[in-house]
Amino acid sequence: MTVETLPLCAYPECTNHPEAPTPGNPEPRYCAHPDHNALGAFRKFRAKRQQRKDEKRQAAEAKKAVGAAPAADALPASDVSGPRADLVSLISRLSTDLPGYIEELALITDSAAAEERIRTVTQASAQRTLDAEQRTALAEEAADMAVAQLDVAKHRFEEVADKIRQEAAQQVADVAFVRAELERYRERVAQLEERLDAVREEADAARRERSELAQQAEQHRCGV
């Protein structure tokens, strides 16, 4: 009797099982955690490798500090064994780093990781394109609104200008009418002045005639 073991999430140190297969992802390798994906695993492997490098560098520095005093006492021997010790140290370091490089290479060449990276870049590009289209649409809408406002302002300006022209023409017509009326009044006043002069002359003539008649009547009365 064989016991079937379910695979675990490909994310480092994760003990969960992968998600259920879907038509778009028939062989899922990661669990439902939002950070557990090919890109997150790559970052985790890279962080672990950097941590191992830091630990080895610290250990090497400590070893150098401890072996500095004995090396000063045995200078000739160190000159002979120095290259061999460096070679052994290099081989040991490469042996330690090799699993990390293999894991990173496997992750880089993983099609799922590549697809995840492509999907991420595509989504970012699509988002930037959408943002650019939205900004373009907003700019076009603002331009249309500005053109519409300009048309409204131009129409209002034409209406106000026409109204001012009409009012100015009406004022000119009123001024011409007032001038004509004033001229007519002046002519009438002149006629009235002429008539008044004639009436005055007639009145003077009537007074003179009355005075002459009065004198004649007085002379006639005296003669009688």
Side-chain angles (χ1 to χ4, degrees):
M1 180 178 180
T2 59
V3 178
E4 183 179 358
T5 58
L6 296 176
L8 297 179
C9 176
Y11 190 85
E13 301 177 0
C14 181
T15 58
N16 297 327
H17 298 293
E19 292 183 303
T22 59
N25 188 10
E27 295 181 359
R29 301 178 62 244
Y30 300 95
C31 64
H33 194 283
D35 294 334
H36 290 190
N37 48 42
L39 184 60
F42 173 74
R43 292 174 178 172
K44 184 69 174 179
F45 281 127
R46 186 170 57 183
K48 289 176 63 177
R49 192 187 70 176
Q50 185 64 34
Q51 183 179 2
R52 287 196 298 268
K53 286 183 178 180
D54 295 339
E55 292 176 354
K56 286 188 295 183
R57 185 176 63 254
Q58 293 175 1
E61 291 176 355
K63 186 182 295 184
K64 288 181 180 180
V66 172
D73 297 335
L75 184 59
S78 64
D79 292 339
V80 176
S81 61
R84 180 179 296 177
D86 293 339
L87 181 59
V88 172
S89 176
L90 179 60
I91 293 173
S92 176
R93 185 167 62 252
L94 290 176
S95 299
T96 305
D97 293 342
L98 185 59
Y101 287 121
I102 293 174
E103 291 177 356
E104 186 172 348
L105 181 61
L107 187 61
I108 292 174
T109 56
D110 186 6
S111 60
E115 291 177 358
E116 183 68 22
R117 182 60 178 171
I118 292 173
R119 187 182 302 109
T120 302
V121 173
T122 304
Q123 291 177 354
S125 178
Q127 185 63 37
R128 287 195 295 269
T129 303
L130 180 60
D131 294 340
E133 291 178 353
Q134 290 178 351
R135 288 194 296 269
T136 302
L138 290 175
E140 291 177 352
E141 184 178 356
D144 293 339
M145 292 177 62
V147 171
Q149 292 177 357
L150 182 61
D151 293 338
V152 172
K154 183 178 179 181
H155 182 67
R156 290 180 179 176
F157 174 77
E158 292 177 353
E159 290 181 351
V160 172
D162 292 339
K163 186 177 180 180
I164 292 174
R165 292 192 191 97
Q166 293 176 1
E167 292 178 353
Q170 185 65 35
Q171 291 176 359
V172 171
D174 293 342
V175 170
F177 176 77
V178 170
R179 287 179 178 175
E181 289 292 325
L182 182 60
E183 189 66 25
R184 187 166 61 252
Y185 289 153
R186 287 177 180 175
E187 292 177 356
R188 188 172 181 181
V189 169
Q191 292 176 0
L192 292 174
E193 288 178 351
E194 291 178 357
R195 184 178 298 178
L196 181 61
D197 292 339
V199 171
R200 286 175 180 174
E201 290 178 357
E202 291 177 358
D204 291 340
R207 280 195 299 271
R208 286 194 300 271
E209 185 177 358
R210 191 182 304 114
S211 177
E212 291 176 356
L213 291 174
Q215 290 178 0
Q216 290 177 3
E218 186 66 28
Q219 290 176 0
H220 181 70
R221 190 180 300 116
C222 291
V224 175

